[in-house]
Amino acid sequence: MMKSQRVSIATLSSKHSGRYGVRSISLPTRSHPSTVRIEEELSKLKSWEASSTSKVETIYYGLSGLAELHKCIEELLKLPLTQQALAQHKNEKWVNELLDCPVRFLDQLGKTRDAILLMKARVEELQSALRRRKVGDLDMESNLSAYWSLRRNMRKECTKSLLLLKQIDESFGASPPLDLNNHLSAVVRVLREASLITSSVLQSLVVFLSSPVLRSKLNKWALVSRLMQKGVFACNDQHENINELEKVDFAVSSLVMEYPSKGVEAEKIQSAHGRLEALVVAIEGIESGLECLFKRLINTRVSFLNIFSP
């Protein structure tokens, strides 16, 4: 599942490159400074897009970059020059498409934020169970079962989210008139590019949240084999094939493996604690990034409405 999702992301990225078309960093003569700033932020995010992974650090950077990008867009939409130019094309299909994008992203952000908060709550409950009980206790088994159930449900919802984000990518069907002035042409171009790169960053976040679930029902040796394939037993804990969510999966899966030594049991509980704590920190970072982006998108939406309100 994960492999196919990554392929789809790569496919989407290649589509973006083709659809950007007019994405050239070369600017029209005498471009407004606000447009130039947006081009600069887009350039940074395009570099991020080309090298992004499902690791939390890259998602942090993407969300932070989007917040700065939409801050610049808000400033662009407040310019009288931009407002007058867009107002002349009120109710045209290509304008409505631009107006609709912030709403669709806000809806997706809300769903993603709710899923992350639910994940955080479940992880903290598992941490609490680890502190209170030993491996094998019924309370522990119940919390582990709830964690796996949440992970499976989240993967299903993430599949739906990826489809919705792809639909946003494909929503730009109407072409603006060819006789737009230089400033409005630049505005339309950067707004469309901003929507595509916003979708790309959110897709990376969704792929992270939909990391493959390592079921705890695997027998001991099958589980060991999976862990070794992923490099969990390697000395270097920063193995490139594993993200923070997968590390937690592996750590809590190892809790169901039988060890003769109590020292080993205590060690794996401690390891699971560490992985869970790292995931909570990661979730809080993503939560903060989403909150900032959410506010920026609301401001963008309001700026659009102010232009077209009577």
Side-chain angles (χ1 to χ4, degrees), residues 10 30 32 37 79 111 175 185 211 222 228-229 233 246 252 258 296 301:
R30 300 167 69 179
H32 193 279
R37 280 193 62 197
L79 291 175
K111 293 177 180 178
S175 299
S185 293
S211 299
M228 291 183 68
Q229 289 173 14
F233 295 140
E246 290 171 322
V252 298
E258 295 179 1
R296 292 299 180 194
R301 172 65 175 172

Side-chain angles (χ1 to χ4, degrees), residues 99-123:
L99 185 63
D100 188 48
C101 268
V103 178
R104 300 176 74 177
F105 285 131
L106 284 168
D107 181 59
Q108 184 59 50
L109 281 178
K111 293 177 180 178
T112 304
R113 184 172 57 179
D114 290 344
I116 286 176
L117 290 175
L118 189 60
M119 167 66 76
K120 181 182 177 182
R122 180 59 63 198
V123 168

Side-chain angles (χ1 to χ4, degrees), residues 22-288:
V22 291
R23 263 183 143 196
S24 172
I25 299 303
S26 58
L27 302 172
T29 305
R30 300 167 69 179
S31 292
H32 193 279
S34 293
T35 307
V36 175
R37 280 193 62 197
I38 293 176
E39 290 279 4
E40 291 172 350
E41 295 302 324
L42 283 169
S43 181
K44 294 176 186 177
L45 284 165
K46 291 170 196 174
S47 297
W48 168 91
E49 184 182 35
S51 59
S52 66
T53 67
S54 61
K55 292 291 187 70
V56 163
E57 292 83 358
T58 58
I59 295 173
Y60 286 166
Y61 182 88
L63 292 174
S64 176
L66 285 183
E68 187 61 31
L69 171 65
H70 285 279
K71 177 182 177 181
C72 295
I73 289 175
E74 181 186 350
E75 294 172 356
L76 177 65
L77 293 175
K78 288 181 178 179
L79 291 175
L81 180 63
T82 304
Q83 294 177 347
Q84 293 167 9
L86 283 173
Q88 293 176 2
H89 298 275
K90 181 180 180 180
N91 295 327
E92 292 186 26
K93 185 176 180 181
W94 62 272
V95 173
N96 290 334
E97 288 175 352
L98 294 175
L99 185 63
D100 188 48
C101 268
V103 178
R104 300 176 74 177
F105 285 131
L106 284 168
D107 181 59
Q108 184 59 50
L109 281 178
K111 293 177 180 178
T112 304
R113 184 172 57 179
D114 290 344
I116 286 176
L117 290 175
L118 189 60
M119 167 66 76
K120 181 182 177 182
R122 180 59 63 198
V123 168
E124 289 176 337
E125 288 176 4
L126 190 51
Q127 280 183 301
S128 179
L130 277 173
R131 283 191 291 266
R132 294 193 310 266
R133 306 289 184 182
K134 296 180 180 179
V135 173
D137 286 349
L138 292 178
D139 185 48
M140 172 68 74
E141 295 301 322
S142 175
N143 278 279
L144 286 172
S145 177
Y147 173 78
W148 294 122
S149 177
L150 175 64
R151 289 280 285 111
R152 287 190 292 270
N153 290 336
M154 184 171 289
R155 275 179 63 81
K156 293 178 183 178
E157 292 303 314
C158 285
T159 300
K160 297 177 184 177
S161 294
L162 283 172
L163 291 175
L164 290 173
L165 288 168
K166 184 177 179 180
Q167 289 174 4
I168 294 177
D169 287 350
E170 298 171 346
S171 65
F172 293 112
S175 299
L178 297 176
D179 59 349
L180 298 182
N181 62 49
N182 284 344
H183 178 68
L184 187 53
S185 293
V187 170
V188 173
R189 184 183 70 252
V190 296
L191 288 178
R192 287 190 167 190
E193 291 183 27
S195 292
L196 290 173
I197 200 70
T198 299
S199 175
S200 181
V201 173
L202 294 181
Q203 286 175 35
S204 293
L205 172 57
V206 170
V207 168
F208 167 76
L209 294 174
S210 64
S211 299
V213 179
L214 178 59
R215 297 174 185 272
S216 58
K217 292 181 180 180
L218 290 172
N219 65 51
K220 175 180 177 180
W221 298 114
L223 179 57
V224 169
S225 176
R226 289 284 297 277
L227 297 177
M228 291 183 68
Q229 289 173 14
K230 278 290 187 176
V232 176
F233 295 140
C235 294
N236 182 6
D237 192 44
Q238 303 300 319
H239 196 283
E240 62 180 5
N241 291 334
I242 317 170
N243 64 37
E244 291 75 5
L245 192 54
E246 290 171 322
K247 287 178 182 179
V248 167
D249 283 0
F250 295 135
V252 298
S253 290
S254 69
L255 294 176
V256 302
M257 298 169 64
E258 295 179 1
Y259 291 99
S261 169
K262 290 186 178 180
V264 174
E265 181 177 289
E267 182 179 342
K268 62 181 179 176
I269 290 178
Q270 183 178 1
S271 174
H273 265 303
R275 297 289 172 81
L276 288 166
E277 183 60 35
L279 181 58
V280 169
V281 172
I283 290 173
E284 289 175 345
I286 293 173
E287 183 184 351
S288 176

